[in-house]
Amino acid sequence: MHRKRLSEAQYKKAAREKEEREKSYKSGGLYDFDLLVIGGGSGGLACAKEASSFGKQVVVLDFVIPSEKGTTWGIGGTCVNVGCIPKKLMHQASLLGESIQEAQSYGWNISGPISFNWESLVEAVQNHIKSVNWVTRVQLRDKKIEYVNGHGVFEDAHTVIAKMKNGKERRITAKDIVIAVGGRPRYPDFPGCKEYCITSDDLFSLPTSPGNTLVIGAGYIGLECAGFLKGLGYEATVMVRSMLLRGFDRGMVDLVQAEMEDKGVKFLFGKIPVKVSKQPNGKLLVEWKGDDEIGQGEYDTVLVATGRKALSEELNPSAAGLQIHPETYKIITNFEQTNIPNIYAVGDVLHERPELTPVAIQAGKLLAGRLYNGTQEQMDYDNVATTVFSPLEYGCVGITEEEAINRYTENEIEVYHAYYKPTEFFIPQKNVKHCYLKVITLLKAPQKVLGMHFIGPQAGEVIQGYAAAIKAGLTYQHLKDTVGIHPTVSEEFTRVAITKRSGDDPTPQSCCS
């Protein structure tokens, strides 16, 4: 649905109305709460707890509409329940399976057949998630933050109707409102999709093993799920419409793909699903098209990972006059403030902002500080580090090589790069050909670092420290002056000396070369 941008007169009118309500609030307590947060995920909870620490009365609304398969969960949002946490745990389970095999090369005697049980993993993961849900509820209670398990819908700019499971409604008013509803997986429009496919909302609590799985989509979620499913012993195929990991450095992505292929993950490039149907044998028949050809295949599970849709439309935003982007349906803000002066938004629901949990948390905390503690600090959305938990992880911070060339031209940047050999890979003779890093800098001294990219074990742990360094103004000279810890993979950043421009071979001759 398209939304019209408010005129300057309308915006000023809204500002005057807010000012009048502020006066009334201060003198007579016009509202039920100082702050109402819609959404009990990481960003909303961070904002709520921070506001509470400043002595404000806060209420949090959180409600999970069941997925097409009926999956639901407790408070904590996507990250805790169906995102980062269960994903990382299943990724770790996959790595442990690999480590068991490697352990024998290191002298460990492992007797008997080694097998994996999906149901046991799901039970362990869900038990952990439930414990986090419980701790979250306890924290809200201890901080005297009211929790309402209701679906919030705007009545006006200061009023939200909470619709409960039992059909009852509660009208809640607040001086300020923060929208932190995030998004949910987007279903492509083809026959059988909603009837037979699952999403990441369902995978981590799937009661039976997924078996041979087709993943439709090649972003973060698609590649990570395909990677750990293959590592757990299931066949995994990724259907790619155009490219893997759009927005990431293309050279690094090529290596991620090559490593996944070496691990046995299959890719179907240039394909679009057109139909999914259930066969008499219980299998799912997927039909696809691409490049003037059609094809099909049978799978036990089809996982849709084609992006996420912001939940802003479910809030009845027009009742509050909120400005919503007509294509992404995300909320347009200026430093987290919407076009309505007392309504704010944080997290994945924001237009053109990173969809990352730590970003939402930081933005939520800083917003509460500006609203209730007199601070002026704004969220810095630049140079946010991230990691793709593919079988061989890919971590990065800063800009890609393509973006650097686009911003500064190829003549104004330098790209240092190196392959390296993790010491722990030697004895089990693991493949090292995709262990690679690059440092993108300005050519002019002192060569400010613009981006750092790393593929290898523990990529997230490696890149996190360098993210702080980039925030502090890291230069290539700083890297040269830093003595690395040997033997670690992170030290490779301090030893990188070969530039792409030189054409020299970036492959080391030994682990200490």
Side-chain angles (χ1 to χ4, degrees):
M1 185 181 297
H2 292 265
R3 303 288 177 192
K4 293 183 179 179
R5 185 183 297 272
L6 290 183
S7 67
E8 183 177 356
Q10 289 173 315
Y11 193 93
K12 288 181 178 179
K13 179 183 177 183
R16 287 196 303 272
E17 289 175 350
K18 183 193 176 186
E19 185 177 355
E20 292 171 0
R21 293 193 185 201
E22 292 277 359
K23 292 177 182 177
S24 177
Y25 171 77
K26 291 176 182 177
S27 62
L30 179 64
Y31 307 113
D32 301 325
F33 294 91
D34 297 294
L35 174 65
L36 185 158
V37 177
I38 308 176
S42 302
L45 291 174
C47 185
K49 288 186 279 189
E50 193 79 351
S52 176
S53 72
F54 300 134
K56 299 302 176 181
Q57 288 185 304
V58 182
V59 59
V60 173
L61 270 62
D62 186 64
F63 187 85
V64 179
I65 297 174
S67 73
E68 293 293 331
K69 294 297 181 183
T71 308
T72 188
W73 50 86
I75 193 169
T78 297
C79 176
V80 166
N81 294 284
V82 290
C84 318
I85 300 304
K87 176 271 302 287
K88 181 68 182 293
L89 293 174
M90 289 196 171
H91 172 65
Q92 176 64 13
S94 171
L95 295 180
L96 285 173
E98 196 172 321
S99 296
I100 291 172
Q101 302 296 334
E102 295 169 14
Q104 297 176 78
S105 301
Y106 278 99
W108 286 94
N109 295 316
I110 300 172
S111 60
I114 298 171
S115 62
F116 168 74
N117 185 275
W118 172 265
E119 290 78 8
S120 296
L121 174 60
V122 168
E123 182 180 7
V125 168
Q126 290 303 312
N127 284 342
H128 173 68
I129 290 171
K130 287 180 174 62
S131 72
V132 178
N133 297 150
W134 172 254
V135 169
T136 302
R137 292 286 298 272
V138 171
Q139 286 180 333
L140 294 180
R141 183 191 64 196
D142 290 347
K143 293 180 179 296
K144 296 181 172 54
I145 297 172
E146 185 171 346
Y147 165 63
V148 177
N149 186 208
H151 181 241
V153 177
F154 278 105
E155 182 178 274
D156 60 41
H158 285 273
T159 309
V160 171
I161 304 300
K163 299 182 178 181
M164 315 297 186
K165 283 183 179 179
N166 59 11
K168 294 183 179 180
E169 296 184 350
R170 177 179 168 185
R171 188 173 184 270
I172 303 173
T173 61
K175 170 178 170 285
D176 296 310
I177 296 175
V178 171
I179 300 169
V181 293
R184 296 287 290 273
R186 188 189 302 275
Y187 283 91
D189 185 17
F190 60 83
C193 182
K194 290 186 177 181
E195 291 86 349
Y196 302 117
C197 300
I198 67 169
T199 70
S200 55
D201 282 355
D202 311 297
L203 178 63
F204 304 111
S205 58
L206 203 63
T208 57
S209 65
N212 183 7
T213 302
L214 173 68
V215 178
I216 300 175
Y220 261 100
I221 297 171
L223 292 192
E224 290 175 336
C225 291
F228 71 65
L229 286 174
K230 182 58 184 176
L232 296 175
Y234 305 111
E235 290 302 309
T237 303
V238 180
M239 182 178 289
V240 189
R241 183 185 63 183
S242 56
M243 65 172 64
L244 275 62
L245 295 173
R246 185 182 301 276
F248 285 85
D249 188 281
R250 300 325 300 167
M252 306 303 287
V253 171
D254 288 343
L255 290 175
V256 170
Q257 176 191 333
E259 176 68 20
M260 292 185 70
E261 288 177 326
D262 282 357
K263 289 284 175 64
V265 177
K266 302 169 187 174
F267 289 89
L268 293 170
F269 283 97
K271 304 295 187 291
I272 299 173
V274 295
K275 185 180 180 181
V276 175
S277 56
K278 195 162 190 175
Q279 302 302 290
N281 61 3
K283 302 279 187 178
L284 297 177
L285 179 67
V286 182
E287 302 173 43
W288 60 75
K289 65 178 181 180
D291 300 325
D292 297 323
E293 64 176 4
I294 59 174
Q296 62 181 27
E298 279 192 350
Y299 303 91
D300 297 306
T301 300
V302 179
L303 172 67
V304 173
T306 53
R308 299 176 69 81
K309 180 181 179 181
L311 295 178
S312 55
E313 285 292 293
E314 295 184 1
L315 303 175
N316 189 27
S318 60
L322 284 172
Q323 184 179 352
I324 307 294
H325 192 275
E327 295 176 0
T328 66
Y329 299 104
K330 292 194 172 188
I331 298 174
I332 300 171
T333 62
N334 182 25
F335 298 111
E336 293 80 53
Q337 185 177 44
T338 71
N339 60 297
I340 305 302
N342 71 291
I343 300 179
Y344 305 83
V346 296
D348 293 2
V349 77
L350 290 187
H351 181 60
E352 294 186 337
R353 295 303 186 195
E355 295 182 7
L356 297 169
T357 296
V359 171
I361 292 172
Q362 181 84 332
K365 287 182 177 180
L366 293 177
L367 173 59
R370 294 196 304 275
L371 289 176
Y372 307 120
N373 198 40
T375 62
Q376 300 299 318
E377 188 176 0
Q378 303 283 357
M379 177 65 194
D380 182 1
Y381 290 98
D382 291 332
N383 293 323
V384 175
T386 190
T387 293
V388 180
F389 290 98
S390 44
L392 193 61
E393 298 170 7
Y394 167 32
C396 59
V397 61
I399 62 177
T400 66
E401 184 176 347
E402 293 80 16
E403 189 174 353
I405 293 171
N406 186 53
R407 284 192 196 181
Y408 301 99
T409 76
E410 202 162 0
N411 294 327
E412 294 182 32
I413 67 167
E414 193 75 275
V415 179
Y416 295 87
H417 68 146
Y419 289 92
Y420 64 94
K421 301 176 181 180
T423 305
E424 57 270 34
F425 280 27
F426 290 160
I427 288 180
Q429 298 183 21
K430 291 183 67 174
N431 180 16
V432 299
K433 67 180 180 180
H434 301 133
C435 293
Y436 177 78
L437 60 86
K438 71 166 72 170
V439 180
I440 304 159
T441 76
L442 290 175
L443 182 62
K444 184 177 179 182
Q447 294 188 278
K448 179 181 178 181
V449 175
L450 305 174
M452 300 180 75
H453 300 260
F454 177 92
I455 292 178
Q458 301 296 323
E461 308 297 339
V462 170
I463 212 71
Q464 181 67 81
Y466 290 108
I470 283 184
K471 285 285 189 183
L474 180 67
T475 66
Y476 177 66
Q477 188 63 45
H478 288 142
L479 286 176
K480 285 179 62 178
D481 293 343
T482 300
V483 177
I485 302 171
H486 188 69
T488 65
V489 292
S490 185
E491 74 169 318
E492 300 297 337
F493 273 125
T494 69
R495 308 194 309 175
V496 64
I498 295 173
T499 67
K500 278 192 170 183
R501 191 189 308 274
S502 71
D504 293 340
D505 184 4
T507 306
Q509 298 305 306
S510 73
C511 68
C512 302
S513 63

